[in-house]
Amino acid sequence: MSQPKRHWVSQDIGAYHIISKVAGSELLFRDAEKEMFLKYLERFSAGFFVDIHSFCIMGNHIHILATERHKDAQCATKENLIERYKKIYGAHTEPPQGTYDNSGHLIPDADGGIQRLRERLGSISRFVQELKQSFSRWFNKKYDRWGYLWGNRFKSVVVQKGEGLIICSSYIDLNPVRAGLVEKPEDYKYC
């Protein structure tokens, strides 16, 4: 049975506190893995219409406080969308311009795939999905393993603009302090 579709709020209302844990809650991420996850986070946030307010990469889970800018994606020019796509997938890649039918033939989109690109790059759900999948492929290749890296579907909690964002950001920043890794949040490199 498929998961129910998530309901997202407008960028005018607030942000999302996204939490995702590794399968089994083992401490899998050492500094090298945290560094690589940070690189993926930077790359994907440069391409997707997503504002990262706060994040924390721990040994067995991540926290991200982010706003989906779906409205901005809907207003973006074709050139801006393609530029963002290439920031994520590489300068020599071209965005999809249609879908394939069962026999493998391309059915082109009437607009050359631009609306499809707006929906993709303006989705925080797609951002998290691709971030986690890309990191999982890297992790599995590095450790010659296969299978799931992450546990269940990521959790997302709506955080209202204003004081709620400040409180949630503080909660995220204090994760390594509560875990006893550092005395002050600014001493933790992956936050």
Side-chain angles (χ1 to χ4, degrees):
M1 180 165 60
S2 66
Q3 298 277 352
K5 188 172 179 174
R6 293 180 191 265
H7 296 284
W8 299 104
V9 298
S10 165
Q11 66 196 55
D12 302 325
I13 294 174
Y16 299 96
H17 178 193
I18 296 162
I19 307 125
S20 192
K21 296 180 180 181
V22 300
S25 296
E26 301 163 29
L27 293 174
L28 297 178
F29 304 154
R30 294 179 296 272
D31 284 352
E33 290 77 27
K34 292 174 186 177
E35 287 284 344
M36 185 55 72
F37 190 88
L38 186 56
K39 287 179 183 177
Y40 278 111
L41 182 64
E42 289 170 351
R43 186 174 104 197
F44 281 93
S45 64
F48 280 85
F49 286 85
V50 171
D51 288 335
I52 307 293
H53 305 292
S54 184
F55 69 90
C56 186
I57 308 163
M58 298 295 284
N60 64 356
H61 68 283
I62 59 166
H63 291 270
I64 301 172
L65 180 61
T67 299
E68 173 185 86
R69 294 183 10 245
H70 189 264
K71 288 181 181 179
D72 296 342
Q74 293 303 311
C75 298
T77 65
K78 176 181 179 178
E79 293 76 24
N80 182 252
L81 292 165
I82 292 171
E83 177 186 334
R84 285 173 171 272
Y85 185 87
K86 290 181 180 222
K87 282 182 181 179
I88 300 168
Y89 304 105
H92 301 293
T93 58
E94 292 298 323
Q97 298 180 1
T99 57
Y100 290 93
D101 63 16
N102 292 336
S103 60
H105 295 95
L106 179 67
I107 303 169
D109 292 333
D111 66 354
I114 295 306
Q115 187 57 34
R116 179 187 309 274
L117 208 48
R118 283 189 174 109
E119 294 300 323
R120 179 184 198 149
L121 297 180
S123 167
I124 199 164
S125 185
R126 189 67 185 258
F127 164 78
V128 175
Q129 174 192 19
E130 293 199 27
L131 173 66
K132 288 173 51 177
Q133 284 178 350
S134 296
F135 180 76
S136 296
R137 282 191 294 273
W138 173 85
F139 188 90
N140 284 348
K141 185 175 181 179
K142 179 178 179 177
Y143 291 104
D144 195 28
R145 68 182 293 276
W146 54 274
Y148 294 106
L149 174 61
W150 302 96
N152 294 327
R153 206 174 168 195
F154 68 89
K155 295 178 185 176
S156 60
V157 178
V158 176
V159 180
Q160 298 283 326
K161 279 188 170 183
E163 193 174 294
L165 282 177
I166 295 168
I167 293 168
C168 186
S169 185
S170 297
Y171 170 82
I172 291 170
D173 289 344
L174 287 169
N175 252 259
V177 175
R178 284 190 303 275
L181 301 175
V182 292
E183 288 188 28
K184 298 181 288 190
E186 58 268 21
D187 294 338
Y188 190 66
K189 189 175 175 181
Y190 308 105
C191 198

